[in-house]
Amino acid sequence: MKCDHGYHCTVCGTQVETLEDSWLYLEFVLGRVEVTRLGNTPDHHLRCDPALAQYVVDPEFAPPVVDDHPATDKRRREAAEVAEQERLVTRAWRRLQEVQGKGMAIEEYVLPEIRMAKLLGED
Ligand SMILES: [Zn+2]
C-alpha cells in the first residue's frame, strides 16, 4: 500500500513510500507522536534511523540494521533494556503491516496496550 502522506526522507531525500518504512508512523504506533502531528512532522525512513531500526528483530526486516554510533549502539547497552526495546519496536513494526487495508481509524493503529495505558493515565 502506498503511504498517504508521501513525505521525503529528511536523511536521504527519497520518498518514504510505505507505512512500514516510516519512522513517523512507527513512533505514532508507539504512542510517542500525537495524531495531530502526523500531517506536519518531517519523516524519514526507519532504515535511515539506525538508533531505532536496530531494535526491529524480524526475519522479514532483512537485512537487520546495525547501529555503529557509540552513544546508541544496542550492543553497548544492558541486555534487559535491549530485549525490552526489541520487543516493543518489533511489535510496533509488525503492527504497521497488520493495520494496512483494514479500514481502521488512524487512532487504532496505536498498539492496544499503549492506547490503554494512555487512557488510564488520562483519568
Ligand atoms: Zn531515507
Side-chain angles (χ1 to χ4, degrees):
M1 169 186 143
K2 288 282 178 187
C3 199
D4 53 7
H5 64 149
Y7 279 127
H8 288 267
C9 175
T10 55
V11 179
C12 73
T14 66
Q15 200 166 2
V16 181
E17 288 191 339
T18 63
L19 276 189
E20 68 262 30
D21 286 338
S22 166
W23 162 84
L24 182 61
Y25 275 79
L26 189 83
E27 290 285 318
F28 175 65
V29 164
L30 289 168
R32 303 197 289 220
V33 169
E34 295 303 319
V35 67
T36 52
R37 304 286 312 283
L38 285 177
N40 55 17
T41 302
D43 198 2
H44 54 261
H45 296 106
L46 182 55
R47 285 187 174 275
C48 289
D49 190 346
L52 183 63
Q54 65 179 337
Y55 291 111
V56 180
V57 181
D58 189 301
E60 299 283 312
F61 190 72
V65 170
V66 176
D67 182 7
D68 288 319
H69 195 287
T72 49
D73 184 346
K74 72 178 180 182
R75 293 167 296 183
R76 295 167 179 253
R77 299 207 163 212
E78 200 210 324
E81 183 198 337
V82 168
E84 172 62 17
Q85 282 300 307
E86 286 179 346
R87 190 193 65 79
L88 195 64
V89 177
T90 301
R91 181 154 155 63
W93 182 73
R94 288 182 185 142
R95 179 79 179 163
L96 287 176
Q97 293 158 80
E98 283 168 23
V99 298
Q100 291 182 42
K102 295 244 170 81
M104 292 164 65
I106 189 103
E107 289 85 354
E108 294 174 7
Y109 287 16
V110 179
L111 290 172
E113 67 267 32
I114 289 174
R115 277 217 318 277
M116 190 58 69
K118 283 193 153 197
L119 285 175
L120 293 174
E122 282 166 12
D123 280 346

